[in-house]
Amino acid sequence: MTEILTILITILGAIGVNNGDKNVNMIAFSGRAESSWFSGDVMSGGIDTQTFTKDGGHLSARYILQGKDNAGDSCKIYIENNGKFGEEYTTPTVVTDSKSLAFLNKAKLRGKLDFSGGKLTIRIYKEDEE
């Protein structure tokens, strides 16, 4: 796998509701992306919705990055990242208006949450083609 995006996350706040059977938390965040493919910021409105039941937990984060691609052109990247707690990788989906990153619109991607050093980093990888 090739790492395409590295996103350093800053948690802004959280709200939640629990009915006894299901617990739902919505976590607002901002952040900064840095890689050789793209650099820019998480635009206002980034949210991670986490749902927990007796059967386990699920996350679904949605946000837009705005910045410059590897060609130096301004662009935006929408990311929807879904996963189950306890699994090693998440499944991101990308929509971008970048010409040089257009391959991400159809690429098979994997995400990984990294909590090392007391900070949250999201790494998005493109699976190697066989």
Side-chain angles (χ1 to χ4, degrees), residues 1-2 5 17 22 24 33 39-40 43 46 63 69 85 89 93 108 112 128:
M1 289 191 294
T2 303
L5 295 169
V17 61
K22 185 182 276 189
V24 178
S39 63
M43 296 179 72
Y63 52 102
D69 62 21
F85 287 99
Y89 292 103
T93 302
K108 184 155 178 139
K112 188 161 184 148
D128 297 330

Side-chain angles (χ1 to χ4, degrees), residues 48-108:
D48 181 14
T49 302
Q50 300 179 351
T51 305
F52 301 92
T53 66
K54 63 180 170 106
D55 297 322
H58 178 266
L59 67 88
S60 182
R62 292 174 175 87
Y63 52 102
I64 294 178
L65 300 168
Q66 182 173 14
K68 295 199 179 277
D69 62 21
N70 57 340
D73 296 325
S74 294
C75 68
K76 291 180 184 171
I77 302 173
Y78 166 79
I79 299 172
E80 179 178 337
N81 197 9
N82 295 291
K84 291 182 180 179
F85 287 99
E87 292 185 356
E88 184 175 5
Y89 292 103
T90 60
T91 305
T93 302
V94 166
V95 176
T96 183
D97 58 2
S98 165
K99 289 179 183 173
S100 69
L101 299 178
F103 69 93
L104 292 175
N105 291 317
K106 295 183 180 182
K108 184 155 178 139

